[in-house]
Amino acid sequence: MTEITEGARLRFRKKLIDRAIDLLLMVFSVLMVLPLILLVSNAFKSPQEMLAWPPTIIPHAPTLANFKAVFGETPLLRWIGNSLLFSGLSTVCIVATSAFAGYVLGKFRFRTMNIFFALFLATAVVPFEVYMIPLYFQAQALGILNSVWGLLLGYLVMSFGIFLIRQNVIHAIPDELLEAARIDGAGELWIFWRIVLPLLRGALGALGVLAFFQAWTSFAWPMIVTTTREHYTIEVGLALFQTGFTVDLGRLSAASAAVLIPSITLFVLLRRNFVQGVATTGLKE
Amino acid sequence: MLQRKRWIFAMLAILPTLAIFAWVRLYPIADTLRLSLQKWDMLSKNKPFVGLANFRELMGDHLFQDALVNTTIIAFGVLIITIPTALVLAALIYHRTRSRFAGFYETAVFIPYVVSLVPAAMAWKWIFDAKLGPLNVLLSMFGIAPQAWLFNPVLSVVCIIVLCSWQALGYAVLIYIVGFKSLPVSLFEAAKLDGASGPQSFWYVSVPMLKPITLYVSVVTLISGFNVYAQAFVLASDAQGAPGRQVRVLVLDMLENSFRNYRVGYAASEAVVLLAIVLVLTLIQFSLLREKGRS
């Protein structure tokens, strides 16, 4: 009898602790996204309401005036378009180069390949900021400053992408499968196209999402490569826009919200891909 | 014969990637090293070799020292805030994996890591704003005088650390959650049988078991901390509105030397210093990991 009540008491205690943890996590989670929520909500406020305390989450008198002003004054859509084009092209390049290199490095055990792998590995830790100045002069020599090609130059390959695909090739594609295809007389390119790529679909998807967000949020490189207003990416455009209008928070918020809303939506939709990508590239063995 | 055919395919398949890699990665890295030993004003044809003169000058350069100190403080500040918070958060989220809110917690903590940097920094710029921001109003309710958060030299560094930590946290939590999932469940069951409470098994089982992950996340956080640029650019404009001048960071100093002062060789030597910092951090990580493997 006493044992049962003891058990019930313990279970109740555990439940209580779990609820407390839930509450704590809930508060913390809301605090984490609160700055972004307030930013989006500010975008719809009149200057008077923005000063109100406590800040309102849902504006009393929502207005689109800030958006109208921002879209009228700045080539915001153009900047978003530039960013989309740049990020899309970068994604294609990174996925393609990583797929080929990752497959070869994972399945073809020749000594030359080991040397190449060591080369990729050794330079993976070098941050982009270290070599972007010489890269800038390469873009200049090619005459592709202030263009999407110049932006792309810095984001054609991704070391972690190669490692991610290689890791997946090793774990997900059995040698026997490839050998069987070879015995049946399949060519190497056919094997890559028809057997390897379909098996890598998940990993390539994760890498694609990762690559897209990497280019979309890049800052230092677009900052030095683009110098004319119509070639800015959205990040550079916004950053320079805010130095001009330090006071007009409404317009700044509207411009920021116009960027944040689509990218957060995209992220929530692609969350699984993204998390898988970060988790596996993060934990290389 | 077959072997040879396979070798040819492998070479042809990797060649494009390798060529691009050599072109946009290897060559620029080598070029940085070479330029750091030269004097070049960006326009003239000749780049005279000056040996280590650039590095010698760096040692007496106050702006550079300023940048180095600020960047180091930011990197370690972010580290000190992020790692313990992330570890505890990940433990709690992992504990509540079966809760129906688990997905929400993970997403909410992770969103700051993925959103574009500049709009996110804008949100914080408003929060910290001395006249319009909610932070000062909130503090005044507790009787604390309003502060010029973004213009006080010490406080503006704090602001950048807060912004960077807010962003870095999601990544660290995610990696820790993966780490928790990889720990053997039997370990926690054994601890429970021995009468360990939740906090006890966290401190005596999880924390030591997760040490390699802590090491990895710490190095990644520190390295990205040393590369801080956009955050300072947006948050720390000086009184004249020049972006990023209030808190000088390494990357900003480097870009200014190259593109404003036309001293490319000098800027390259700063890049080499940054590279050296990153390499040292990586080496520390590897040697600590190896030590652990041996014992």
Side-chain angles (χ1 to χ4, degrees):
Chain A
M1 186 65 196
T2 46
E3 245 170 53
I4 295 167
T5 45
E6 178 73 0
R9 207 180 59 82
L10 271 179
R11 232 172 300 131
F12 177 72
R13 219 189 81 141
K14 187 177 163 350
K15 212 164 184 181
L16 207 67
I17 291 176
D18 283 352
R19 286 288 157 275
I21 292 177
D22 268 339
L23 185 70
L24 186 76
L25 286 175
M26 196 58 91
V27 170
F28 195 89
S29 303
V30 169
L31 281 178
M32 283 297 278
V33 285
L34 196 61
L36 300 174
I37 293 174
L38 285 173
L39 181 81
V40 171
S41 128
N42 277 348
F44 294 96
K45 289 179 190 170
S46 60
Q48 293 85 335
E49 193 177 351
M50 207 172 296
L51 292 169
W53 179 264
T56 45
I57 303 274
I58 298 165
H60 293 308
T63 161
L64 288 176
N66 293 322
F67 285 94
K68 274 192 201 121
V70 142
F71 278 99
E73 281 163 20
T74 60
L76 206 63
L77 284 176
R78 170 101 205 221
W79 294 342
I80 293 177
N82 289 343
S83 274
L84 278 177
L85 183 64
F86 161 49
S87 310
L89 286 174
S90 162
T91 306
V92 171
C93 292
I94 286 175
V95 167
T97 51
S98 304
F100 275 110
Y103 171 54
V104 170
L105 293 174
K107 282 296 173 201
F108 293 79
R109 293 175 198 91
F110 298 110
R111 194 175 299 143
T112 5
M113 300 304 147
N114 291 340
I115 298 172
F116 294 157
F117 184 61
L119 206 64
F120 287 125
L121 205 58
T123 50
V125 292
V126 182
F128 186 66
E129 284 78 359
V130 166
Y131 58 86
M132 69 182 172
I133 292 175
L135 197 61
Y136 168 87
F137 290 108
Q138 270 176 289
Q140 192 186 40
L142 290 169
I144 52 173
L145 293 178
N146 278 318
S147 77
V148 70
W149 310 114
L151 290 171
L152 197 58
L153 190 69
Y155 290 82
L156 285 169
V157 280
M158 181 175 174
S159 311
F160 280 124
I162 297 172
F163 303 148
L164 173 76
I165 300 303
R166 176 178 174 271
Q167 208 69 9
N168 267 280
V169 165
I170 291 174
H171 289 303
I173 299 174
D175 280 344
E176 295 77 21
L177 191 66
L178 303 179
E179 284 310 321
R182 285 191 187 112
I183 289 167
D184 286 347
E188 291 294 338
L189 201 59
W190 190 91
I191 294 176
F192 176 69
W193 198 251
R194 288 298 171 87
I195 298 178
V196 175
L197 279 188
L199 284 172
L200 288 177
R201 216 179 296 149
L204 290 174
L207 175 61
V209 176
L210 220 56
F212 188 89
F213 274 83
Q214 176 191 260
W216 181 262
T217 56
S218 61
F219 183 73
W221 177 246
M223 190 78 198
I224 59 175
V225 169
T226 59
T227 47
T228 48
R229 219 163 113 97
E230 65 267 32
H231 292 107
Y232 289 161
T233 62
I234 186 67
E235 290 281 288
V236 174
L238 275 182
L240 294 175
F241 173 63
Q242 60 104 26
T243 62
F245 288 87
T246 22
V247 236
D248 198 339
L249 277 168
R251 284 180 209 182
L252 277 181
S253 307
S256 305
V259 184
L260 279 181
I261 296 168
S263 62
I264 290 182
T265 315
L266 196 65
F267 167 68
V268 172
L269 290 177
L270 297 171
R271 191 173 75 95
R272 275 179 207 294
N273 278 322
F274 199 100
V275 168
Q276 190 201 344
V278 172
T280 32
T281 44
L283 286 179
K284 50 197 160 65
E285 294 296 281
Chain B
M1 175 59 202
L2 211 70
Q3 196 70 358
R4 190 169 171 73
K5 228 165 114 187
R6 291 188 56 195
W7 191 81
I8 291 172
F9 169 79
M11 281 310 267
L12 285 179
I14 204 170
L15 217 58
T17 308
L18 202 66
I20 295 172
F21 192 81
W23 176 42
V24 300
R25 193 69 64 87
L26 296 182
Y27 175 75
I29 293 174
D31 215 25
T32 300
L33 297 176
R34 185 175 57 90
L35 277 170
S36 73
L37 304 174
Q38 293 174 335
K39 186 172 185 269
W40 186 36
D41 61 8
M42 213 158 154
L43 302 169
S44 67
K45 273 251 147 55
N46 51 340
K47 310 173 184 175
F49 179 82
V50 293
L52 294 174
N54 286 329
F55 293 95
R56 235 173 278 130
E57 196 187 333
L58 272 184
M59 282 197 269
D61 181 341
H62 291 294
L63 287 177
F64 169 72
Q65 283 164 4
D66 233 26
L68 190 61
V69 169
N70 281 335
T71 313
T72 311
I73 292 173
I74 291 170
F76 280 92
V78 175
L79 179 79
I80 290 166
I81 294 178
T82 307
I83 299 298
T85 320
L87 189 52
V88 173
L89 267 181
L92 294 179
I93 294 177
Y94 176 67
H95 178 75
R96 298 297 296 143
T97 308
R98 262 171 290 162
S99 152
R100 83 191 98 131
F101 303 116
F104 169 71
Y105 304 147
E106 264 180 60
T107 313
V109 174
F110 201 61
I111 276 183
Y113 178 70
V114 289
V115 294
S116 327
L117 242 158
V118 177
M122 226 76 97
W124 284 93
K125 195 169 177 154
W126 168 70
I127 291 174
F128 287 128
D129 196 284
K131 278 185 283 197
L132 309 166
L135 183 63
N136 272 340
V137 186
L138 189 72
L139 288 178
S140 71
M141 293 187 351
F142 296 98
I144 300 169
Q147 307 285 330
W149 290 100
L150 297 172
F151 291 102
N152 176 311
V154 177
L155 290 180
S156 50
V157 173
V158 173
C159 291
I160 292 178
I161 293 177
V162 169
L163 170 60
C164 293
S165 307
W166 176 72
Q167 289 182 315
L169 193 64
Y171 176 76
V173 167
L174 181 73
I175 300 293
Y176 270 127
I177 289 179
V178 176
F180 271 106
K181 283 180 182 158
S182 72
L183 293 183
V185 184
S186 56
L187 215 61
F188 292 103
E189 280 166 358
K192 212 171 184 180
L193 280 179
D194 286 343
S197 65
Q200 273 175 332
S201 75
F202 169 73
W203 188 251
Y204 293 108
V205 180
S206 310
V207 172
M209 290 293 286
L210 290 172
K211 219 178 242 168
I213 293 184
T214 303
L215 198 59
Y216 171 76
V217 181
S218 305
V219 171
V220 171
T221 309
L222 271 180
I223 289 178
S224 67
F226 272 101
N227 287 308
V228 59
Y229 174 54
Q231 294 91 339
F233 188 95
V234 175
L235 274 194
S237 317
D238 68 1
Q240 279 90 47
R245 292 287 186 78
Q246 177 71 36
V247 178
R248 186 170 275 275
V249 293
L250 270 184
V251 175
L252 177 99
D253 196 55
M254 188 173 97
L255 291 179
E256 275 202 347
N257 272 324
S258 178
F259 295 109
R260 197 178 297 249
N261 305 339
Y262 300 113
R263 303 188 62 196
V264 182
Y266 193 57
S269 69
E270 280 183 88
V272 172
V273 172
L274 182 62
L275 177 61
I277 293 171
V278 169
L279 287 182
V280 167
L281 289 173
T282 312
L283 283 180
I284 291 174
Q285 180 197 6
F286 279 133
S287 62
L288 284 178
L289 273 182
R290 187 171 302 162
E291 222 165 79
K292 196 177 174 300
R294 218 182 282 140
S295 64

